[in-house]
Amino acid sequence: MTIPVTDHKRYFIDKLGISERLMERCLGEALSAGGEYADLYFESVTSTSLGVDESMVKTASQGISVGCGVRVLSGERTGYAYTDDLSSEKLLKAARTAALIASGPAKELMSGFRASPEGTSLYPVAGAESDTEIAAKLKLIERADKAARAYDPRITQVRAGINDELRRILVAASDGTFASDTQPLARLNVFVIAKDGANTSRGTSGGGGRVMLDFFEGDKSPEHFASEAARTAILQLDAVEAPAGEMEVVLGPGWPGVLLHEAVGHGLEADFNRKKTSAFAGLIGQQVASSKVTVVDNGTMANRRGSLNIDDEGNPTQETVLIENGILKGFLSDKLNSRLMGMPNTGSGRRESYHHIPMPRMTNTYMLNGEDMPEDIIKSVKRGLYAVNFGGGQVDITNGKFVFSASEAYLIEDGRVTRPVKGATLIGNGPEALKYVSMVGNDLALDEGIGTCGKAGQSVPVGVGMPTVKLDRMTVGGTGK
């Protein structure tokens, strides 16, 4: 049957010459050796990157990437091939290559596509790039450079950059899936170095999302991000060494949700649980956190960096409750793992590009609000650490152990936030740490739009968030007293 052609699909059908008949032929070839399921993932990405260093444009690039990935599933096995040549000859060859993992008579026959529902778009769609837009982007990072340098004479070095892309995808599958999307993404970054005598410190800030350039003309202006980066760097110049030992820890709202993402979120992805390599494997329905903890993954939030109208398998994204009042409710799944595990597909199949296979991934992952006032949480701490922002971190999915570096943190003494500290690391076990959550604030915030998640060599944009949270016990690494 011939399906309706939307603007998203028209790009591939009209401009790239990918007909419905050709897609059916490719899927037929992909299943010819006995595969259970096959899909085609067409992708076209136009991107721009600009960077200013020492108040001069140091980097400028534009790129276009077009290609298709063909996947065949047979049991737990995946066959995958891709091509940047969208001629019928190359597409059919890729389909035959992916089919090699299967053997025997075809288990599924291609019987035509079904129209996918077209819901409300979660983000604006940009047009073609122009020289005017390039000039406007350059002005944004020049403004950031100027604002950071003007913040304090101790700011000695500034780097600012902007990266944006327009990604078009079309997914056609043997189960009838036929879906497409056009996805904008933009991010502005500022990095500064501050010096005071022999003392040196660094600060970073940035933000964006699935937005247009006018996003950076509002509250999230270049000046806002520049001031945040500079403030953090100047603050660190006078910071004392962080204390070490087990103590109460308060996590601030917003970006500290990255700890939740890394220490807990990855362990709730279905592939790790199917293979029983996650610390959460086999624990659905059990208490895995404090009763004050509810964690969701939500790909349907307008303009957010991790949001998607459809995932990279053509399924609508959704809000998925992972942990509710401390009880583990479910995992994030894609087509492969939902089929093998007999669980619902949560629309979490994501991939970095047409070069890669999809796998279960997070979108925007955050902890829901509690009932405590943030100021009451601080007042409840006799001596502890208030971690406002984080830099890098590491986590072991198999046991949930993590180490995170705090880029902005303070001492809490007798219920008051006092001196800034440097060199603080948080050390713990994700599932264990959530059991020590004793207070959850009512000030949920999401990050500024900077998150990029890595898994199995693939990177995808994500969002994180949380309200102010108190953990009664956590190990803090530092060299102070």
Side-chain angles (χ1 to χ4, degrees), residues 5-294:
V5 178
T6 64
D7 288 340
H8 300 315
K9 298 184 179 80
R10 191 171 299 283
Y11 176 84
F12 292 93
I13 294 172
D14 292 350
K15 291 193 174 184
L16 299 182
I18 309 300
S19 68
E20 184 177 336
R21 174 59 185 149
L22 176 58
M23 288 183 272
E24 289 178 341
R25 286 180 62 199
C26 289
L27 289 169
E29 287 288 346
L31 292 171
S32 63
E36 298 169 359
Y37 166 88
D39 59 21
L40 309 174
Y41 175 81
F42 293 93
E43 180 186 66
S44 173
V45 180
T46 57
S47 59
T48 305
S49 178
L50 298 171
V52 169
D53 191 0
E54 298 177 339
S55 299
M56 296 184 291
V57 178
K58 287 291 185 72
T59 59
S61 64
Q62 281 189 301
I64 299 176
S65 171
V66 179
C68 176
V70 185
R71 178 176 61 152
V72 177
L73 300 181
S74 180
E76 294 189 14
R77 295 176 296 165
T78 298
Y80 197 73
Y82 62 87
T83 175
D84 59 3
D85 183 340
L86 299 185
S87 66
S88 58
E89 177 185 358
K90 295 297 184 181
L91 287 170
L92 290 167
K93 181 180 179 181
R96 286 190 286 269
T97 301
L100 293 176
I101 65 152
S103 61
K107 298 174 184 174
E108 179 173 315
L109 298 176
M110 183 62 214
S111 58
F113 300 120
R114 62 175 181 271
S116 59
E118 300 290 338
T120 302
S121 181
L122 299 171
Y123 28 78
V125 176
E129 293 295 329
S130 69
D131 292 339
T132 302
E133 289 174 321
I134 296 295
K137 294 168 191 173
L138 181 57
K139 287 181 180 178
L140 289 174
I141 54 178
E142 287 175 336
R143 284 168 53 188
D145 175 81
K146 182 178 179 181
R149 293 181 184 280
Y151 187 88
D152 191 289
R154 290 171 290 179
I155 300 295
T156 59
Q157 185 176 343
V158 179
R159 292 203 302 266
I162 189 167
N163 301 278
D164 74 303
E165 68 177 35
L166 188 66
R167 179 175 180 247
R168 297 177 174 92
I169 67 169
L170 172 63
V171 182
S174 60
D175 63 1
T177 298
F178 194 82
S180 61
D181 197 16
T182 302
Q183 302 161 351
L185 188 67
R187 173 176 166 174
L188 190 150
N189 308 289
V190 186
F191 168 84
V192 306
I193 293 179
K195 288 186 178 181
D196 189 358
N199 200 5
T200 302
S201 62
R202 302 180 178 189
T204 61
S205 184
R210 299 199 180 278
V211 296
M212 307 296 289
L213 285 187
D214 58 5
F215 172 84
F216 300 107
E217 297 298 341
D219 294 338
K220 307 304 182 182
S221 65
E223 290 78 12
H224 164 76
F225 295 121
S227 297
E228 274 299 294
R231 180 191 65 80
T232 304
I234 295 300
L235 181 79
Q236 293 297 309
L237 289 175
D238 298 321
V240 299
E241 294 293 336
E246 189 174 88
M247 63 186 72
E248 294 176 305
V249 170
V250 176
L251 303 176
W255 180 245
V258 69
L259 189 150
L260 187 75
H261 168 104
E262 293 288 359
V264 178
H266 277 298
L268 299 178
E269 291 165 341
D271 49 351
F272 292 127
N273 288 278
R274 175 173 62 83
K275 298 170 185 176
K276 302 192 185 305
T277 57
S278 167
F280 292 100
L283 298 182
I284 286 184
Q286 297 186 32
Q287 190 93 23
V288 297
S290 159
S291 61
K292 294 179 177 288
V293 173
T294 297

Side-chain angles (χ1 to χ4, degrees), residues 250-254 292-294 367-378 437-445 465-471:
V250 176
L251 303 176
K292 294 179 177 288
V293 173
T294 297
M367 185 186 298
L368 296 190
N369 268 332
E371 299 179 351
D372 297 302
M373 298 294 290
E375 54 268 33
D376 291 338
I377 296 177
I378 298 294
V437 172
S438 61
M439 301 180 77
V440 177
N442 59 5
D443 58 342
L444 169 64
M466 69 187 324
T468 299
V469 169
K470 177 185 175 183
L471 297 99

